[in-house]
Structure formats: structure tokens, C-alpha cells
Amino acid sequence: MYNLDVLEQIKKDAIANHIPILMDETLDEILDILKEEKPKQILEIGTAIGYSASQFAITIPDVHIDTIELDEERANQAKENIKNVGTESQITIYQGDAMEILPTINKQYDIIYIDANKGKYPIYLQEAIRLSKVGTIILADNILYKGYVLGDYNKHKQRTAVRHLREYIIETMTNKRLETEILKIGDGLSITRVIS
């Protein structure tokens, strides 16, 4: 059985310690997609402390999730959290740089969820397309990045992230293999379906 009290505590701890986790509104949207699609295989780029992966696992009890986390401390915390929630049999954590790990993966996923380094989103997208089949849904969180992506934001501090998120959006909108909608919920959620 899953321990939902532990999951709630993970959320509280994340908020208290300023660890970025899925916003409720975005989470609800993604869980609705999972319930509709009933995925067997999910890839998550950006584990953080295991909150989203556990949410996905609880929602679809026969799903398997591969999740990648760069930060060793967070990956270890995620392992502990996932164990305590009771989702460890459904989740495999890869600790390391997604840029190095993704090219070594050779399987197809039903859902791919991207929530990691914003400056690398276009590269993650290319890997996600490679790991997709027709019907795969690629989700990208924080795609509007505090509203900067749609505005004329050009300050030095976030310029690279904003530029790469814009590139991601353009690619998903112009690539004939993909169909994309962007929801203005949370910090923006891009929903891309592979259609050919």
C-alpha cells in the first residue's frame, strides 16, 4: 500500500526548503493525462526529491518510471522518499547528467516529462523524440518561465534559459511530427503529442 501521509510530508518539506516540485494545478493536469493515456512506461528528466514520480506511480499502479537526477544528494533523498511512499518497485532512479544518460537509453516511452535545466530543453526534446513512438506525449513544465518566455525579457541573468525555452516551443510548434498545445497553468505546461 502507498503511504499518502508521507507523500504529503514530502510536499510540505519541499515547499519549506524551496525545492521546486510540481505545482498543484500542473500536477492535476498531468494526472488527468495519465489517467486517460494509461502509460506503461514513463521517462522523467529531473527527479528532484521524487515527489512527481511518486504521484505518477500512485496514479497508474502498473506503470514503470525511469527518472534522471543530476544532484547526488537529491537523488539519494528521492530514493529514500520513494521507498517511504511505497513506490520503489515502480521507479528506477538514474543519478547523473541527463545529457550523458539519455543517449544510453534505447527504449520507447508512452509519456516523457521534462522538468530539469531550462537551458537544455531543446536537447532534451530531441532525445525525447528519439525515445518516442507514435502517440507518445512529451510534457515540459515551466515552459513559460515566470512569463519571461512570452514577453520581451532580455536581462542577462535568465537570457539563456529564456532563449532555449523559446527554441523548444518553436521546434514543437513547427515540427510536422508533433502536435503541441501550451497551457498557462502553473509556470506553463507544454503538451506535445508525437503524431508520425
Side-chain angles (χ1 to χ4, degrees):
M1 270 313 287
Y2 301 124
N3 192 329
L4 301 182
D5 292 339
V6 171
L7 192 62
E8 194 54 38
Q9 191 57 51
I10 293 166
K11 179 183 173 182
K12 284 179 185 159
D13 291 346
I15 292 164
N17 295 302
H18 308 289
I19 296 167
I21 58 167
L22 258 174
M23 293 183 192
D24 289 346
E25 194 182 9
T26 312
L27 176 63
D28 290 344
E29 181 65 35
I30 293 174
L31 295 185
D32 284 346
I33 291 168
L34 298 191
K35 286 172 197 165
E36 200 170 299
E37 298 292 323
K38 299 179 180 59
K40 296 282 183 224
Q41 296 287 338
I42 295 177
L43 172 64
E44 176 183 55
I45 305 169
T47 314
I49 55 170
Y51 176 72
S52 45
S54 283
Q55 286 279 10
F56 302 163
I58 289 166
T59 302
I60 308 291
D62 61 348
V63 76
H64 185 82
I65 300 156
D66 289 332
T67 182
I68 303 169
E69 177 55 43
L70 176 62
D71 186 287
E72 190 176 353
E73 195 180 325
R74 284 212 178 147
N76 288 334
Q77 201 179 347
K79 275 181 194 149
E80 190 65 25
N81 287 340
I82 285 164
K83 187 172 168 228
N84 291 338
V85 172
T87 51
E88 76 265 49
S89 66
Q90 294 170 260
I91 300 170
T92 303
I93 299 175
Y94 295 91
Q95 194 274 309
D97 189 338
M99 303 286 281
E100 293 167 12
I101 293 169
L102 286 167
T104 69
I105 298 174
N106 284 304
K107 65 185 200 186
Q108 292 183 316
Y109 293 93
D110 306 301
I111 303 274
I112 298 172
Y113 172 61
I114 303 170
D115 186 12
N117 182 332
K118 308 301 166 237
K120 307 265 173 69
Y121 269 39
I123 300 164
Y124 297 151
L125 176 63
Q126 293 312 314
E127 283 294 327
I129 293 169
R130 182 182 70 81
L131 297 168
S132 293
K133 55 186 187 266
V134 173
T136 294
I137 293 177
I138 301 167
L139 303 164
D141 198 10
N142 310 114
I143 199 72
L144 300 179
Y145 202 51
K146 303 170 188 161
Y148 297 156
V149 172
L150 296 182
D152 55 4
Y153 183 88
N154 200 26
K155 290 198 183 78
H156 181 68
K157 190 168 178 239
Q158 312 286 357
R159 190 186 295 154
T160 305
V162 170
R163 188 176 77 242
H164 286 117
L165 290 168
R166 286 175 181 154
E167 280 174 25
Y168 181 101
I169 292 170
I170 289 165
E171 176 61 25
T172 60
M173 292 291 192
T174 57
N175 187 321
K176 301 259 191 298
R177 293 183 57 201
L178 310 175
E179 251 179 22
T180 297
E181 67 172 320
I182 293 172
L183 304 184
K184 291 182 182 178
I185 57 169
D187 198 16
L189 178 68
S190 167
I191 304 170
T192 298
R193 189 182 283 274
V194 178
I195 55 170
S196 72

